[in-house]
Every structure is written in structure tokens, then in C-alpha cells.
Amino acid sequence: MNSLNQRRKARKKEIEKAVIELRREEGAPSQRAHIQDPRERAQRALIGTIEATIRAVEEAEDEMEKEPHIELPRFPDDPASRRLIDDQIEVGKERVNERLAAMGAATAQVVQWTAVKEEYDDRVGTAIATIGSNMPEVGRDVRDLGALMPEQK
């Protein structure tokens, strides 16, 4: 738990440094023109999306530590109960795989769209939001799978 908090603090410091650097690149308020550049608005929106995604990652970490929200059969050795558990495991695996695939595709898009520094693509924020929106659900699904599969922990 302590190392988790240390990683969170380190990650938060890195993000704060990146945000400060982006704001520094924008220039001081007195140096900026009164007309706001669309790129500047896009960068601000991207920063907000990144910060929301960081919160989603932290939420996913918290979700994995909570108790599962599934009902296990009273008699897990009963064939019908075992079949129910196996079905729940398969559905849970599919949900995790689908979300990981979406996050992987979004990550590939971020890499592709940010490969050229001079160009900026506002779809980067959408891809980052896709990653962040899937994180809490992945955390819950992994936690629930762990409860269904105690022998494989």
C-alpha cells in the first residue's frame, strides 16, 4: 500500500511538471495576445483530459483493492454452481479483453498522432479519454475475476 502511494505521488509530480512546462510554453499572460489561439485551447483541453485520466487510473487502483461485488453460489462444488461460476469467469474475461483491446488501440493512436512534434491532432484527447474511461471498469472486472478464480491468484 505504501509503495502504491509513493508511485501515485511520483506520477502526480511528473504530471505537474509537464503541466507547468506546457503553461510556460504558452508564455506569461502579459506576453500573450488577447485572441486565444485554437491550439492553446486544444492544449488546455488535452491537459484536462490527461488529468481526468490520471484520476481514472487512481480510481482503478482503488477498485482493485475493494471487496468484489459479486454473489458466489453457496455450494461452489455443485455442478450447476460450478457451471455458473465458469460462465461468470468467461464473461469477465471477455469484458477485460474488450476493454484492454480498446485501450491498446487508443494507445496506438496516441503514439501515431504524437509522432510528429510540429503537428497536433485533437483526436489525441479523445484517445486518452478512451483509455481513462476504461480503467475503472477494468479494475472492477479484474477484482471480480480474482474472486471467482481464487485458485489462480
Side-chain angles (χ1 to χ4, degrees), residues 25-95:
E25 288 176 9
E26 292 174 358
S30 63
Q31 296 173 343
R32 282 186 270 157
H34 291 286
I35 300 172
Q36 193 174 28
D37 180 12
R39 258 184 108 154
E40 183 178 326
R41 276 185 266 147
Q43 284 181 335
R44 288 179 189 270
L46 180 59
I47 290 169
T49 301
I50 291 170
E51 289 172 344
T53 301
I54 290 168
R55 287 189 299 273
V57 169
E58 291 170 350
E59 180 184 340
E61 289 172 341
D62 292 342
E63 283 294 332
M64 290 181 71
E65 294 177 10
K66 292 179 182 176
E67 289 296 316
H69 295 268
I70 56 172
E71 290 187 32
L72 296 173
R74 285 178 75 169
F75 306 106
D77 295 330
D78 174 54
S81 297
R82 188 70 235 163
R83 200 168 37 255
L84 175 67
I85 291 172
D86 289 343
D87 289 346
Q88 286 179 323
I89 289 171
E90 288 307 311
V91 169
K93 285 180 179 180
E94 279 298 313
R95 287 172 50 136

Side-chain angles (χ1 to χ4, degrees), residues 110-150:
V110 169
V111 170
Q112 181 181 3
W113 292 332
T114 58
V116 180
K117 187 171 177 95
E118 290 78 33
E119 295 180 19
Y120 175 76
D121 194 322
D122 59 350
R123 295 176 292 181
V124 172
T126 303
I128 291 172
T130 298
I131 296 166
S133 66
N134 280 290
M135 290 299 291
E137 285 297 321
V138 168
R140 281 188 280 280
D141 290 342
V142 168
R143 175 199 63 210
D144 292 348
L145 277 172
L148 292 168
M149 303 167 61

